[in-house]
Amino acid sequence: MRTLVVQVRPTEIDFEHLDGRHGGPDDLAALADILGHQHTTAHARQLQAARLDMPYTHGTVTITGFADGRRERLHQLLASGSVPEAALTPEAADDWLERAATMPTAFYKDSNPRNFLITDADVTIIDFDSLTLAPFGYDLAKLVVSTAMTTGPLPEDTIRRAADVYNHHPRQRGLPGCSWREFAAWCEFHHILTAPYLGTNGYRFSWHTARPAWTTDILRRFDKESTP
Ligand SMILES: Nc1ncnc2c1ncn2[C@@H]1O[C@H](COP(=O)(O)OP(=O)(O)OP(=O)(O)O)[C@@H](O)[C@H]1O
Ligand SMILES: [Mg+2]
């Protein structure tokens, strides 16, 4: 891995300038492959010692737990009524956070398409501002949702292929990867959390108009199944 840092000053960091384009729908499989590899490697090397519901410290670095801050933000946005057609209630979001607490640990680093700079030769990942612990598939869901919010509804095959390519990595190591239900739930988390940015950052489509119907169907079915 090559570092782009040129100089670190008290309040600023200078980075090398890279000519590259942002990610798009045609890059999803390649980017999913990189994410799956990174998450699986990070889990195998370090994060298997982490619990998703607690901050994890390694040396001088502490990574925030999955629910920390996220739970409040989800509740706040759902209560505001500003998220169009959210497919999760606040209680359902809490259930998913609770379930996530015992899932294998990977990380989130805001995989929106603008945080990948792509050239013919390679892909550079930038912007590590918002690193948190997260379950497998969570950052892949961010990539899918934020790409669809940028360019519009994605072909079904494109999403399935990205998830398959991603899951190949954890499954090769005996980890469960991300199920379709989990993936659908994490897409809804990103719908709620990214909705305030619609109209900025190149987001021209709301996830509720771009999402495939199976993502909301599978969540509804799950809710019914878990009702006693
Ligand atoms: N080292 C770099 N070389 C070339 N372009 C860069 C570099 N770093 C950032 N950029 C460009 O600036 C954009 C924004 O950078 P960055 O992601 O760090 O900021 P941000 O505030 O998180 O913006 P965004 O919400 O768009 O991700 C990137 O998407 C990329 O196009
Ligand atoms: Mg960024």
Side-chain angles (χ1 to χ4, degrees):
M1 195 167 71
R2 196 163 65 90
T3 173
L4 299 174
V5 174
V6 176
Q7 194 187 356
V8 178
R9 288 177 279 149
T11 55
E12 285 170 39
I13 302 175
D14 293 342
F15 291 94
E16 187 184 322
H17 185 271
L18 291 164
D19 285 322
R21 59 174 181 80
H22 294 159
D26 292 344
D27 305 304
L28 277 188
L31 300 181
D33 193 30
I34 295 173
L35 290 182
H37 175 71
Q38 282 192 336
H39 293 172
T40 305
T41 306
H43 179 87
R45 290 205 187 145
Q46 286 292 335
L47 296 181
Q48 56 183 307
R51 273 189 58 110
L52 271 168
D53 59 350
M54 280 183 222
Y56 176 70
T57 300
H58 179 70
T60 55
V61 177
T62 296
I63 310 180
T64 313
F66 183 51
D68 297 345
R70 204 169 256 117
R71 184 192 304 271
E72 290 71 26
R73 187 80 182 128
L74 287 163
H75 278 256
Q76 185 192 24
L77 286 166
L78 286 171
S80 74
S82 64
V83 181
E85 294 182 30
L88 292 177
T89 61
E91 296 72 32
D94 278 351
D95 285 349
W96 277 106
L97 288 169
E98 210 170 294
R99 255 174 242 140
T102 55
M103 290 178 187
T105 304
F107 62 87
Y108 165 79
K109 71 148 294 297
D110 189 6
S111 285
N112 70 57
R114 306 176 306 286
N115 286 338
F116 296 91
L117 294 177
I118 304 174
T119 64
D120 287 343
D122 54 24
V123 175
T124 305
I125 301 179
I126 59 167
D127 189 2
F128 285 78
D129 280 3
S130 40
L131 192 66
T132 73
L133 298 177
F136 277 84
Y138 186 75
D139 218 6
L140 176 72
K142 175 65 186 252
L143 177 63
V144 168
V145 170
S146 56
T147 300
M149 287 179 70
T150 307
T151 57
L154 299 166
E156 192 74 10
D157 272 6
T158 305
I159 299 179
R160 293 210 172 257
R161 177 131 187 276
D164 286 345
V165 166
Y166 175 90
N167 273 329
H168 175 73
H169 291 276
R171 288 179 183 162
Q172 224 180 11
R173 299 268 196 137
L175 292 160
C178 178
S179 72
W180 292 116
R181 281 202 291 222
E182 288 162 13
F183 181 77
W186 306 146
C187 285
E188 284 308 306
F189 271 45
H190 293 300
H191 171 45
I192 299 163
L193 296 167
T194 317
Y197 300 99
L198 189 62
T200 70
N201 294 330
Y203 294 138
R204 295 183 299 131
F205 301 85
S206 173
W207 178 245
H208 83 283
T209 62
R211 66 189 164 203
W214 67 261
T215 59
T216 47
D217 290 348
I218 205 169
L219 289 173
R220 245 180 259 124
R221 221 164 44 233
F222 191 30
D223 278 351
K224 244 184 261 151
E225 278 169 22
S226 13
T227 309

